[in-house]
């Protein structure tokens, strides 16, 4: 083998090692948040149906908050990774501290707004008279954990930017274990009922935030980075986060429209839709782990001024996205006889589920590329383009999806509309990636 032919192969192997080292722990950490909700549901479910219904409503509101503020992790990862690539660790950690201070400010504002409006928020979700008091109780207590939750998001971004996804995995495992133990102890041992479940989650989140802060503060002291709030840096973090917030809200709007359309199709279709959406979310975790690796790796290369390294890493991650998408699609098809009975025994739901599920399987390679390019552009700090691209996608998707019931389409047609949505995202992201305009080198964009 000649040196010329060996070099590209060695480059791919280097990228593969980096992707695996960052993506595998990231996947484990991503799964932790849904597991928190699953543990709470398992414990509270034995208290009664009204309590479980109340938890479901409150948890949906809290998960919405997580998805809205996830830009704290994304924007911080890209900014910190750039400074790491530029070889300026003190500035990288200082940037991370700005993100953490922003998280604390947003968390305090969220608590101030959400506690008095908790009954109204629960009512908007249409809670029954029996579930409402439990939902309000759980929500009002859990709201106190929002600042810690946002600190966890921002600090996770700091560590990802520092090319460390193992620590977030360990913290997530510790948080999950503590949450499970506290839930059982406070709900049943202390007899606090659903309030005990909420307090257990708040305490676990506070513990996770404390661990993250200890890790970041130690790094700051080691490298001589200031821990004091800096108004200019906080404003810069906020400005970087606004486009990603718009992107996230547009994506949430897509999912809400899809669920609303499925509900109009009837009980059978909405039941099948929820099953598919759960599976779709699970595959998204696997693909998002590669995207997180992309954020950290691309940011570092651009910070180091290595355009070729950024392009090569992008190309290799796209190949990973396609490969993982093909594997996930095949698994959905092959494993459907095993997992469908876990969700439903209703023949009519199964009949609605199967053809739509095949559409989801076929679209997985598209989703793989979309997630990867999303991560690449986030790592490049190209948030403004991501915001516009997602708004365009929403504008294309909304009328198509809303026409499904009036045109006599069913759940399969709705998921073809979801595939159209992913295809539009693919086109917009691919055009940007090919243009090279996302490649802006230096410690800051």
């Amino acid at each position: 083998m000649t040196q010329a032919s060996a070099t590209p192969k060695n480059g791919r192997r280097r990228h593969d090692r980096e992707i695996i080292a960052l993506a595998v722990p990231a996947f484990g950490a991503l799964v932790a948040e849904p597991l928190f909700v699953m543990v709470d549901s398992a414990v509270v479910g034995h208290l009664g149906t009204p309590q479980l219904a109340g938890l479901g409503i409150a948890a949906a509101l809290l998960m919405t908050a997580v998805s809205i503020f996830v830009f704290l992790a994304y924007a911080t990862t890209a900014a910190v990774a750039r400074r790491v690539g530029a070889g300026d660790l003190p500035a990288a950690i200082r940037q991370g501290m700005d993100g953490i201070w922003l998280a604390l400010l947003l968390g305090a504002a969220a608590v101030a707004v959400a506690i008095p409006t908790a009954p109204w928020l629960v009512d908007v979700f249409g809670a029954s008279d029996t579930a409402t008091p439990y939902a309000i109780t759980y929500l009002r207590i859990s709201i106190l954990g929002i600042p810690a939750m946002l600190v966890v998001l921002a600090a996770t971004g700091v560590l990802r930017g520092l090319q460390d996804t193992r620590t977030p995995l360990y913290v997530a495992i510790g948080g999950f274990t503590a949450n499970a133990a506290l839930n059982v102890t406070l709900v049943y041992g202390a007899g606090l009922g659903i309030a005990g479940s909420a307090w257990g989650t708040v305490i676990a989140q506070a513990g996770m935030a404390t661990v993250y802060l200890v890790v970041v503060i130690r790094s700051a002291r080691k490298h001589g980075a200031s821990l004091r709030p800096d108004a200019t840096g906080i404003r810069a973090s906020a400005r970087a986060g606004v486009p990603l917030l718009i992107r996230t809200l547009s994506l949430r709007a897509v999912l809400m429209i899809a669920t609303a359309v499925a509900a109009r199709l009837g009980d059978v279709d909405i039941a099948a839709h929820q099953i598919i959406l759960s599976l779709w979310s699970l595959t998204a975790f696997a693909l998002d782990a590669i995207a997180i690796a992309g954020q950290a790796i691309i940011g570092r290369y651009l910070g180091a001024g290595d355009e070729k390294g950024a392009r090569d890493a992008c190309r290799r991650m796209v190949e990973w996205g396609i490969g993982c998408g093909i594997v996930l699609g095949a698994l959905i098809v092959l494993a459907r006889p095993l997992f469908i009975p876990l969700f439903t025994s209703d023949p009519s739901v199964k009949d609605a589920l199967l053809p739509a599920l095949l559409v989801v399987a076929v679209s997985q390679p598209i989703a793989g590329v979309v997630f990867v390019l999303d991560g690449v552009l986030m790592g490049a700090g190209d948030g403004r383009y991501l915001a516009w691209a997602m708004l365009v996608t929403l504008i294309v998707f909304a009328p198509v999806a809303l026409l499904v019931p009036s045109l006599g389409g069913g759940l399969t047609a709705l998921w073809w509309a979801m595939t159209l949505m992913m295809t539009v995202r693919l086109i917009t992201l691919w055009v940007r990636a090919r243009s090279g305009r996302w490649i802006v080198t230096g410690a800051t964009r």
Side-chain angles (χ1 to χ4, degrees):
M1 181 179 294
T2 65
Q3 183 65 31
S5 62
T7 301
K9 185 176 182 180
N10 291 338
R12 287 195 298 272
R13 286 177 177 172
R14 185 180 72 253
H15 291 311
D16 289 346
R17 287 194 295 269
E18 283 188 325
I19 293 167
I20 292 171
L22 291 170
V24 172
F27 175 74
L30 284 170
V31 173
E33 192 63 39
L35 288 178
F36 266 60
V37 178
M38 287 178 63
V39 167
D40 289 4
S41 299
V43 173
V44 172
H46 292 287
L47 294 174
T49 300
Q51 289 90 331
L52 184 58
L55 170 66
I57 292 165
L61 288 164
L62 291 167
M63 291 300 291
T64 299
V66 171
S67 67
I68 289 173
F69 290 113
V70 75
F71 72 85
L72 289 166
Y74 293 158
T76 306
T77 297
V80 172
R82 273 186 176 271
R83 286 161 176 77
V84 169
D88 192 349
L89 280 176
I93 296 169
R94 174 66 261 176
Q95 180 72 44
M97 285 304 305
D98 292 336
I100 291 173
W101 280 112
L102 176 61
L104 286 169
L105 291 173
L106 291 174
V111 170
V113 171
I115 286 182
T117 59
W120 176 79
L121 290 170
V122 169
D123 185 60
V124 167
F125 265 64
S128 66
D129 291 339
T130 53
T132 292
Y134 297 110
I136 293 172
T137 297
Y138 188 93
L139 186 59
R140 275 188 164 155
I141 296 171
S142 296
I143 285 168
L144 299 175
I146 287 180
M149 182 174 67
L150 300 191
V151 167
V152 167
L153 286 175
T156 300
V158 176
L159 295 182
R160 288 174 181 170
L162 294 172
Q163 317 296 296
D164 177 10
T165 56
R166 289 183 178 272
T167 300
L169 172 61
Y170 299 148
V171 175
I173 292 172
F176 169 74
T177 304
N179 182 56
L182 286 166
N183 261 261
V184 173
T185 301
L186 296 176
V187 171
Y188 297 114
L192 296 179
I194 194 170
S197 177
W199 280 117
T201 301
V202 169
I203 294 168
Q205 288 171 335
M208 292 171 68
T210 301
V211 172
Y212 273 120
L213 288 175
V214 168
V215 171
V216 174
I217 289 170
R218 282 181 177 174
S219 295
R221 288 176 174 170
K222 178 180 177 181
H223 297 286
S226 174
L227 297 173
R228 293 179 180 178
D230 176 66
T232 302
I234 293 171
R235 283 197 298 269
S237 295
R239 282 196 300 270
V242 168
L244 296 179
L245 175 61
I246 294 170
R247 167 205 167 271
T248 300
L249 290 174
S250 300
L251 181 57
R252 292 296 301 181
V254 165
L255 298 177
M256 288 174 66
I257 290 170
T259 300
V261 170
R264 290 175 62 187
L265 295 174
D267 289 348
V268 168
D269 282 335
I270 186 60
H273 175 75
Q274 287 303 113
I275 294 170
I276 294 174
L277 199 58
S278 299
L279 182 65
W280 192 74
S281 299
L282 181 61
T283 61
F285 283 132
L287 298 174
D288 204 28
I290 304 173
I292 287 169
Q295 293 171 31
I297 293 169
I298 294 298
R300 192 189 73 232
Y301 275 120
L302 293 178
D306 188 352
E307 291 188 23
K308 183 180 184 303
R311 289 183 184 275
D312 290 345
C314 174
R315 187 178 304 111
R316 188 55 178 163
M317 280 183 281
V318 167
E319 293 170 357
W320 268 79
I322 295 171
C324 288
I326 292 171
V327 170
L328 288 171
L331 284 174
I332 289 172
V333 173
L334 295 174
R336 67 188 190 282
L338 299 176
F339 65 76
I340 289 178
L342 297 176
F343 290 99
T344 182
S345 58
D346 187 330
S348 58
V349 174
K350 289 181 179 180
D351 289 342
L353 185 64
L354 284 171
L357 202 58
L358 293 177
V359 175
V360 174
V362 169
S363 67
Q364 285 304 296
I366 297 174
V369 178
V370 167
F371 274 81
V372 166
L373 291 180
D374 210 36
V376 166
L377 297 184
M378 282 185 191
D382 204 7
R384 184 172 297 180
Y385 181 84
L386 289 171
W388 282 111
M390 198 62 229
L391 282 172
V392 169
T393 302
L394 175 60
I395 290 168
V396 172
F397 168 77
V400 174
L402 293 171
L403 282 172
V404 168
S406 60
L407 295 178
L411 187 65
T412 302
L414 175 59
W415 275 94
W416 276 119
M418 289 287 285
T419 302
L420 170 65
M421 178 271 295
M422 293 300 289
T423 302
V424 174
R425 292 189 71 192
L426 172 64
I427 293 170
T428 56
L429 297 176
W430 185 265
V431 167
R432 187 65 166 183
R434 292 284 293 177
S435 73
R437 293 180 182 177
W438 55 278
I439 299 179
V440 179
T441 59
T444 58
R445 183 176 173 85

